[in-house]
Every structure is written in structure tokens, then in C-alpha cells.
Amino acid sequence: MAVTETVQIDRERVLELIQREGGRLDERTQGSKATYERARRHLTGGVASSYQLRDPWPIYLERGEGPKVWDVDGNEMWDFHNGFGSMVQGHAHPAIGRAVSGRYPLGTHFAAPTEDAIVVGDELARRWGLPKWRYTNSGSEATMDAIRIARAHTGRETIMKIFGSYHGHHDGVMVSIGVEYDKIGDRDNLASLPYGAGIPEAIVELTVAVPFNDAEAMERRIERLDREGRKPACVIMEAAMMNLGVVLPEPGYLEAVRDITRRHGIVLIFDEVKTGLCIAAGGATERFGVTPDMVTLAKALGGGLPAGAIGGTEDAMRTVEDGSVYQVGTYNGNPLTMAAARANLVEVMTPEAYTKLDALNERILAGCTRVIEEHKLPGYAVGVGSKGCVTFSPAKIVDYESFKANQDKDLAELAWLYNMNRGIFMTPGREEEWTLSVTHTEEAVDRYVEVFAEMARDLTA
Ligand SMILES: Cc1ncc(COP(=O)(O)O)c(C=O)c1O
């Protein structure tokens, strides 16, 4: 937890270091600069997804192997970004490579089911304790379809989410994320605000957000919505928030949410696109011991290929089984992706893999905590499974409100620059976390801590 007595951070020093480190990074990434000039001619903004944008130019990568990546300038880095947490297996894992190259000569797409899809479904059912599964090609498709299934199941249209949580890029969930602190509104009546342009107001109004870690506020809002004739079909949430750094559920919170949703006949969806396969074999569901009605997976499922999945109880998935909901997609269960997912689940993300990830994460968290304590920095290290971060905040972050009020953006930016200039490829953006891979070593996590210590020394010298 945050150290009680902290140093006064010299803001001028922070800005000076940001400038120095930014200049260094520019110098070291001239190849990326040149690539950007070429890319932006026909690739909008020079990137394939807006989350890859960065000023003054994105860092273009060339290759990855195990725990490392190389950019187009030849800079070699330990990868703590890992494709927004998709590559928990490490890059170019031989088992996944064998599965993909074994599948290729047999044909890569039929839009008909193959055996691998069955094996993957069996394994997911075992891990999550949910009997029925379907596939998608991304996390956004998984959450979009899960919400549709919940709406069909309950015959209701309103959905409830956690304020500040990201669940993908479809209209219904691009609501009440990443907005200015003063626009959030009253805690008991948080605003429904579109995240970016192009989202119809009619859709925004159907999505209602509540604060994380506050089950009572959730229940009060549900009761009010019920009185207004707008009871939600589902609560879609991450069991541990993964886009404000890492925000863990407070003791008893998930159990209370499970109880509330059950009592009110609301479908509980754990969006495990980030947590699934990364924090335990059975994701947050296993780690925190609370089973929802449905889960959504993607990212780490496909071992680097685009895969998503929806799991549910017999009851929750009944509308798909009886044909009233069309859960469809040409590439759903694509044979190449399923071959990769099978190898990923059966050969790579084994019980030993999770033991290793837990131990490495403990080591990096302990190392970062030591640095924080030694230098009396305003912050704390927090994590679970393969994921973690240093949150620069004098107070504990429990929800979006406390994040916006307390997180020190400049320190987060500075930490990113220090990492990038010292061989640590880290997720851009101050709201992300590291993801370790099974190929990471003690040397890799010790390097992360060393770089953090160097920043702490420079800041407090
Ligand atoms: C929790 C969560 N849900 C859904 C998504 C959307 O996944 P995708 O980018 O594969 O559409 C993300 C992506 O970051 C996510 O973090």
C-alpha cells in the first residue's frame, strides 16, 4: 500500500526529466520516425488501431522472440507490454508455432467446425466451470455478443457497467470511460457519456455506469432503474479493473455483486478479456472464487492469433442454443486460431506456467515496493498473476473517481520513457499495466526494478 510518509515531488525536475528522456527516445527511434512518414501516407495516422498512436511517432516493431522484442531501429527490449497482455506465452512459442504450421497445410478456413474447437471448448469449460461456449474473433465481439445474449435472456435493454472500464469498441460499451474528472457526475448517479464521437445518444442512454468496489451504490442504482422501468439486463464488469493500472476488488465486493445480480435476476458477465488466462488457469473467476453467469475471453486465448470466446451457464446460453439469438461470424472458431488456442491451453499455459508467473510477479512487485519505500515515492505496486503496475498516487485507487483525483500522470509518463530508453518495452498510456510471459526470467523482472530504481534516484537526488 502507499507509503505513509512521502517525499515532495519536485514538479520542475519531473518535467525536466520528461524532456530529457523524450529527447533521448526520439534520438533512438529515428527508424520509427522514417517508418511513420511512410506509414501515414495511406495508413490513417500511420497505425492500424488508434491505441497504437503516439506522439511524436509510434514505435514500429520488427520482431519478437520469447520475452523480447526488437523495434525497426534494432533496439532490443524485454517485452512487458506483450500486446496489451495477449502474449502471456511469450513471442513465437515453439508449441504454438508447431500447431499453426501443422494446421496450415490442412487448410486454414472452412466456416465449419473442426476438432480443435471442441477441445478448446472442453478445456475452457473445465477451467471456468461454465458448460457452454462460443467463439468470436476479438474481445469486442465477445462482449457485444454476450450483452446481446443477456438482453435476449432477460427481455430488457438497459445494461450496467463500471464507470471507467473498457470492454471493447462497440457502441454499447464505449460509454463512461476515460472522461474528464469533473464530468463524471454524482457518485450515486454517474453520467452516461460517450467515449469519442460517432456513438448514438440513444445507445449511450441504454448504458448506465456505477463505481467499482461499491456494491451498495450498484444495488441502489439497480433499484432506481427498476422503479423507472429500466432494470438492467446485465452487469458487465472486470473482476479486477485492468485499465486504471490494476485495481483489485476489495474483500467481499465480488461476492456482494454476485448476490445482488442473482437476487435481481440480472445476468452477471465477467469480462475476462484481460484477466482470463493471465491471472490464473481459470482467470479471475478462479482467482477470486466467484462464478458469474457468463464470461468473455480474448487476447491471450489465441496465443497471438485473433480469438475470442463467450462462456456461460446452460441457462444463460439457452437463447443461443434454441436459435433465438444469432451468435455468428464467418471466422468464429477459425481452424488456424483454434489450433493455436488448443496448443496454448494444453501445452503452454499449464499449472507450472501459473506457478512461475506468480513467483515472477511477486519478485517484481516486491522489488518495486522496495524502491518506493526507499525513496518514499507517492505510490504503490499492485498486481495479480502475470499483471501488475506501479500506481503513482498518494492514496489507494479503488475506482475511477479516486484514480482521476489522485493518479500522477507526469510520473507515469516519466516511468514509461525511462523504460523505453533502458530496454523495457512497456504499454504506452498511463492507464495500463505490465503482463509477464512464461518466457520471462528473473533477469527480466530485475531489470525492470533496476530501471525503476534509477528513475527514483534521479527524481529524488
Ligand atoms: C477488458 C477488455 N474487454 C474487451 C476488450 C476488447 O478487446 P479487443 O481489443 O480484442 O476487441 C479489451 C481490450 O483491451 C479489454 O481490455
Side-chain angles (χ1 to χ4, degrees):
M1 222 2 62
V3 286
T4 40
E5 200 191 309
T6 58
V7 285
Q8 192 65 34
I9 296 290
D10 177 349
R11 305 317 307 187
E12 264 178 40
R13 177 80 179 138
V14 175
L15 296 181
E16 191 188 302
L17 289 172
I18 287 180
Q19 207 162 34
R20 184 188 83 187
E21 293 296 321
R24 262 187 205 172
L25 186 59
D26 289 355
E27 267 169 44
R28 303 173 72 243
T29 57
Q30 288 298 304
S32 277
K33 181 183 182 189
T35 308
Y36 177 55
E37 291 309 327
R38 184 159 63 90
R40 66 197 293 211
R41 284 207 304 268
H42 298 299
L43 206 50
T44 310
V47 292
S49 156
S50 298
Y51 287 143
Q52 295 167 10
L53 288 168
R54 178 194 158 259
D55 269 341
W57 51 79
I59 310 296
Y60 291 85
L61 290 195
E62 206 162 71
R63 68 189 177 94
E65 191 184 326
K68 289 193 172 173
V69 287
W70 287 261
D71 70 6
V72 293
D73 286 275
N75 293 310
E76 176 179 316
M77 295 171 277
W78 296 106
D79 191 0
F80 284 76
H81 177 324
N82 270 317
F84 283 125
S86 301
M87 300 311 303
V88 70
Q89 319 71 17
H91 299 287
H93 195 290
I96 294 169
R98 274 193 304 276
V100 169
S101 51
R103 180 69 241 181
Y104 188 81
L106 304 176
T108 59
H109 188 67
F110 313 115
T114 55
E115 201 218 336
D116 287 341
I118 305 167
V119 175
V120 170
D122 289 350
E123 179 59 13
L124 294 177
R126 188 186 71 75
R127 290 183 182 221
W128 265 267
L130 290 170
K132 292 287 179 181
W133 290 81
R134 274 290 176 91
Y135 303 118
T136 65
N137 305 289
S138 70
S140 297
E141 290 180 19
T143 59
M144 180 175 73
D145 288 1
I147 288 169
R148 181 182 297 158
I149 293 165
R151 281 176 162 152
H153 184 76
T154 56
R156 303 181 207 128
E157 292 192 345
T158 300
I159 63 170
M160 182 167 273
K161 71 184 283 287
I162 299 297
F163 203 103
S165 268
Y166 183 72
H167 296 292
H169 57 266
H170 54 96
D171 291 347
V173 288
M174 289 282 272
V175 177
S176 301
I177 327 160
V179 298
E180 292 310 312
Y181 179 52
D182 58 7
K183 295 197 179 127
I184 298 170
D186 170 52
R187 187 173 176 80
D188 250 2
N189 195 25
L190 290 170
S192 295
L193 301 162
Y195 179 53
I199 302 167
E201 189 50 39
I203 301 291
V204 172
E205 281 168 16
L206 288 177
T207 301
V208 175
V210 291
F212 191 59
N213 267 325
D214 190 342
E216 287 170 14
M218 177 184 281
E219 183 153 34
R220 283 196 297 275
R221 194 79 194 256
I222 288 171
E223 284 167 352
R224 269 213 322 283
L225 288 168
D226 194 10
R227 285 197 294 276
E228 293 162 14
R230 301 200 290 148
K231 189 169 171 176
C234 62
V235 169
I236 182 163
M237 64 184 289
E238 288 187 282
M241 281 184 85
M242 290 285 161
N243 70 327
L244 308 179
V246 172
V247 183
L248 298 176
E250 292 293 309
Y253 170 63
L254 295 176
E255 290 80 356
V257 166
R258 177 64 285 189
D259 173 57
I260 291 164
T261 47
R262 191 168 277 138
R263 274 192 286 108
H264 289 273
I266 293 167
V267 177
L268 178 60
I269 305 169
F270 279 173
D271 179 0
E272 294 225 42
V273 166
K274 271 192 164 178
T275 52
L277 302 172
C278 284
I279 69 168
T285 299
E286 174 190 324
R287 190 94 190 194
F288 301 114
V290 174
T291 304
D293 302 300
M294 298 174 84
V295 298
T296 50
L297 301 177
K299 294 198 194 283
L301 174 63
L305 275 79
I310 305 165
T313 60
E314 295 276 357
D315 192 36
M317 297 297 272
R318 190 169 32 82
T319 54
V320 180
E321 197 102 64
D322 71 17
S324 46
V325 167
Y326 297 113
Q327 194 282 323
V328 295
T330 299
Y331 271 90
N332 288 8
N334 166 259
L336 199 61
T337 306
M338 286 294 118
R342 176 178 179 167
N344 180 30
L345 290 170
V346 177
E347 297 177 59
V348 186
M349 298 315 293
T350 57
E352 301 75 53
Y354 291 100
T355 308
K356 177 178 178 184
L357 288 171
D358 280 346
L360 280 180
N361 215 32
E362 236 170 73
R363 186 176 177 99
I364 190 172
L365 288 168
C368 291
T369 302
R370 263 196 317 277
V371 172
I372 290 165
E373 284 172 359
E374 191 181 325
H375 295 274
K376 299 191 165 34
L377 293 180
Y380 57 95
V382 55
V384 58
S386 62
K387 292 182 172 286
C389 66
V390 170
T391 296
F392 293 102
S393 161
K396 186 176 173 186
I397 306 291
V398 292
D399 59 11
Y400 189 77
E401 213 178 337
S402 49
F403 177 81
K404 277 292 184 188
N406 292 302
Q407 201 232 17
D408 191 324
K409 293 182 205 168
D410 291 342
L411 285 187
E413 165 73 8
L414 184 61
W416 185 80
L417 289 168
Y418 262 74
N419 280 328
M420 292 298 289
N421 282 329
R422 290 162 185 77
I424 306 276
F425 188 61
M426 206 20 211
T427 344
R430 49 185 199 274
E431 287 123 13
E432 288 290 334
E433 65 282 325
W434 68 62
T435 304
L436 307 178
S437 81
V438 298
T439 60
H440 274 57
T441 55
E442 291 189 349
E443 187 194 349
V445 301
D446 291 352
R447 178 66 190 147
Y448 190 99
V449 175
E450 238 171 68
V451 171
F452 181 42
E454 187 180 337
M455 179 181 113
R457 277 196 302 276
D458 290 352
L459 260 180
T460 54

